[in-house]
Amino acid sequence: MPASAKPNGFGEDQPLSRRINYNEVPKTEAQEWGCCTYLLVFLSYLLVVCTFPFSLAYTLRMVKEYERAVIFRLGMLLSGGAKGPGLFFILPCIDNYVKVDLRTISFDVAPQEILTKDSVTVAVDAVVYYRVFNPTVAITNVVDVQKSTKLLAATTLRNCLGTKTLAEVLSDRENVSTHMQSVLDDATDPWGVKVERVEMKDVRLPVQLQRAMAAEAEAAREARAKVIAAEGEQNSSRALKEAADVMLESPMALQLRYLQTLNTISAEKNSTIIFPLPLNLLENISYFKKE
């Protein structure tokens, strides 16, 4: 089959490297059919013709837009790929078919007990979204696509998170999920499955570890608060020094500040009694004490 072909109408959005080599699917029909097989097929067609039109009730089948039918004739895969959507024809007694849903399917990965790279035990669960892009391969290459994908997702979750530290698991979820999606997609490619998205839902830590992390965070917050308070004291002392230098250059500034303080105190309704004294008088008293 040419590399640019689009088998069965599927995989149009898949790169060439993701398309399944149909030569790996078992050879069917004329390549393995014998005389007995041809005889049974002839008898089946004869039965359809003899019972027409009543045989249409047993030979015509229908699949929906999001479904495809993989047909087996005498246990061998029928050539031409999966059938659908719409009506298709089967032979009575010798044909049977399996429906495959092409819609995106999601499932929850059960919580996994994982030992991280820094020897911390965490419980992690995730959700996986996938779809079947090649129904023929999904039926012939694996017994149960959904069950196999679930088991592989649980194993991949443990393997991927086992190489990460706790800090990376908590802070870098997007990259971890992308890596898991890539690993799962490559592993399920031979099954005709496309893993579209993997998301980590919850990371549960042991209670003792939660308490230790909370104590560490509280200590870090207290240290930052003390540093901020010290910086505030330092800035306020610098501002007071600058204000004192300004008042020293202009003696009337201190008088104005004194009057402003009195005005502020008097504006409040309290029982405080203030006896204002002129600053010059205080200066004279200090001058007499020196003499």
Side-chain angles (χ1 to χ4, degrees):
M1 177 176 292
S4 60
K6 299 177 180 178
N8 304 330
F10 303 102
E12 291 86 346
D13 56 342
Q14 303 294 328
L16 295 178
S17 60
R18 286 191 52 83
R19 294 179 186 167
I20 300 299
N21 184 5
Y22 280 80
N23 294 328
E24 298 178 358
V25 178
K27 296 180 181 180
T28 57
E29 289 201 19
Q31 298 180 4
E32 293 186 358
W33 282 13
C35 296
C36 183
T37 303
Y38 281 111
L39 178 61
L40 291 175
V41 172
F42 174 75
L43 293 177
S44 182
Y45 275 111
L46 184 62
L47 179 63
V48 171
V49 173
C50 293
T51 58
F52 187 83
F54 302 103
S55 60
L56 294 178
Y58 299 95
T59 58
L60 288 182
R61 293 292 184 269
M62 181 183 67
V63 291
K64 299 177 182 178
E65 179 67 30
Y66 53 84
E67 294 177 334
R68 297 296 182 271
V70 180
I71 303 176
F72 294 89
R73 179 161 295 170
L74 294 175
M76 295 178 290
L77 182 66
L78 192 64
S79 64
K83 306 299 181 183
L87 294 173
F88 62 94
F89 179 82
I90 62 173
L91 293 176
C93 303
I94 63 172
D95 284 357
N96 67 314
Y97 66 96
V98 180
K99 288 184 180 181
V100 180
D101 197 328
L102 301 183
R103 294 177 292 182
T104 298
I105 302 173
S106 63
F107 63 86
D108 293 326
V109 180
Q112 304 293 316
E113 293 287 341
I114 299 170
L115 183 64
T116 60
K117 189 176 181 180
D118 50 353
S119 301
V120 178
T121 302
V122 295
V124 183
D125 57 352
V127 59
V128 178
Y129 299 86
Y130 76 94
R131 63 180 176 87
V132 175
F133 72 90
N134 193 320
T136 302
V137 175
I139 294 299
T140 57
N141 284 11
V142 62
V143 176
D144 190 337
V145 171
Q146 187 170 6
K147 182 179 179 181
S148 300
T149 306
K150 284 183 178 181
L151 295 176
L152 183 61
T155 305
T156 304
L157 180 64
R158 289 195 299 268
N159 293 339
C160 290
L161 296 185
T163 61
K164 305 291 184 180
T165 62
L166 178 61
E168 292 174 344
V169 173
L170 295 177
S171 62
D172 201 14
R173 290 192 178 189
E174 184 176 354
N175 290 336
V176 173
S177 299
T178 302
H179 176 64
M180 290 175 53
Q181 186 267 337
S182 177
V183 173
L184 272 177
D185 195 23
D186 293 339
T188 57
D189 187 70
W191 302 343
V193 173
K194 167 67 177 175
V195 178
E196 297 180 337
R197 192 176 184 87
V198 178
E199 290 292 341
M200 294 172 55
K201 293 175 59 178
D202 189 19
V203 179
R204 291 187 290 275
L205 304 177
V207 177
Q208 295 180 351
L209 182 58
Q210 293 180 13
R211 293 175 180 173
M213 294 178 65
E216 180 183 1
E218 184 178 359
R221 287 194 296 269
E222 290 179 356
R224 286 195 299 268
K226 290 180 180 179
V227 171
I228 293 173
E231 291 178 352
E233 291 290 341
Q234 186 179 8
N235 294 334
S236 62
S237 62
R238 289 177 182 174
L240 289 174
K241 181 179 178 299
E242 294 176 359
D245 293 339
V246 172
M247 291 182 179
L248 184 61
E249 295 176 357
S250 178
M252 293 302 299
L254 184 59
Q255 184 69 25
L256 292 176
R257 179 58 180 166
Y258 175 71
L259 296 175
Q260 183 181 4
T261 304
L262 292 177
N263 185 34
T264 303
I265 296 174
S266 62
E268 299 178 359
K269 295 181 179 180
N270 50 36
S271 59
T272 304
I273 300 175
I274 301 173
F275 296 96
L277 295 175
L279 294 179
N280 294 334
L281 179 60
L282 296 177
E283 292 178 356
N284 293 333
I285 292 175
S286 61
Y287 175 74
F288 287 129
K289 284 184 178 180
K290 289 181 181 179
E291 291 189 358

